[in-house]
Amino acid sequence: MNLYLRYFDKETLVTNVDDAIAFLGSISEIGMNPVLEADVREYVDSDVYYPKRYKIRPRVYFIIIKTDAATMLDFKEKRAVHNNGGENKEKALTPVMSRLNDDLFGWYEGELNFKRVLQVPGTGKFQYRDTHFVARCKAVSGLDCYNRIVEYLRQRVDSRSQFPSVKGKNFKFRYLGMCK
């Protein structure tokens, strides 16, 4: 595990925490002290792989990123992206978006969370309500499933209702099987 450190235009890729602390100590604006050193060591020893940002003064930070890159060029070209645990590499490389356009005719089940406009009975005013909708339909792809569900809902709910993006987290689908 290597560490990438950056403070404005000063950056380095080091192999251990001592080199990282030496780099930070060489920058006078950072003001390396025992508390900061202990915090950097704690971050490096932890299992956290998110970048760590340290505040120097208002709106001025330096960052530390854990990486598997062996060289600065590898890091810059993102050749050594960290994989979280025992995920299958094929599964990590094929996001849901690539399955969205796969042509596979059959039954799909689509789940959609959308903002539905409803009238409040006592006041006569309108308000948005989060609504969960699940439907099964014949479709050619996940995208076709989404389009069929939204088309169906547009005919039956208030036109001011808001539907999520097909690429967002508020639409899920799964292929159920071939049509008979």
Side-chain angles (χ1 to χ4, degrees), residues 1-3 14-17 44 46 48-49 65-69 82:
M1 173 81 48
N2 293 329
L3 301 168
V14 297
T15 57
N16 59 44
V17 70
V44 172
S46 71
V48 175
Y49 283 94
I65 300 174
K66 293 179 181 179
T67 181
D68 294 329
H82 180 74

Side-chain angles (χ1 to χ4, degrees), residues 1-17 19-21 23-24 40 43-44 49-54 61-78 80:
M1 173 81 48
N2 293 329
L3 301 168
Y4 170 78
L5 293 97
R6 185 178 74 220
Y7 179 73
F8 288 105
D9 60 346
K10 298 173 185 146
E11 62 184 2
T12 188
L13 186 72
V14 297
T15 57
N16 59 44
V17 70
D19 291 343
I21 291 171
F23 171 76
L24 294 172
V40 169
Y43 168 71
V44 172
Y49 283 94
Y50 294 106
K52 179 80 172 181
R53 189 170 73 159
Y54 291 92
Y61 301 88
F62 75 85
I63 63 166
I64 300 176
I65 300 174
K66 293 179 181 179
T67 181
D68 294 329
T71 65
M72 186 67 82
L73 182 64
D74 289 346
F75 178 77
K76 294 285 184 170
E77 293 182 357
K78 298 179 181 161

Side-chain angles (χ1 to χ4, degrees), residues 78-136:
K78 298 179 181 161
R79 291 186 193 155
V81 177
H82 180 74
N83 193 1
N84 289 335
E87 291 181 7
N88 187 357
K89 285 186 180 180
E90 290 180 13
K91 188 176 181 182
L93 294 176
T94 56
V96 174
M97 291 309 304
S98 68
R99 293 186 302 124
L100 196 60
N101 293 319
D102 288 349
D103 286 337
L104 189 59
F105 183 70
W107 284 97
Y108 285 83
E109 181 176 76
E111 293 182 35
L112 191 69
N113 293 321
F114 69 101
K115 301 278 187 188
R116 183 176 184 178
V117 174
L118 294 173
Q119 186 176 20
V120 178
T123 63
K125 294 183 179 179
F126 293 90
Q127 71 180 28
Y128 286 102
R129 288 264 172 94
D130 289 332
T131 306
H132 182 76
F133 184 79
V134 179
R136 292 183 178 174

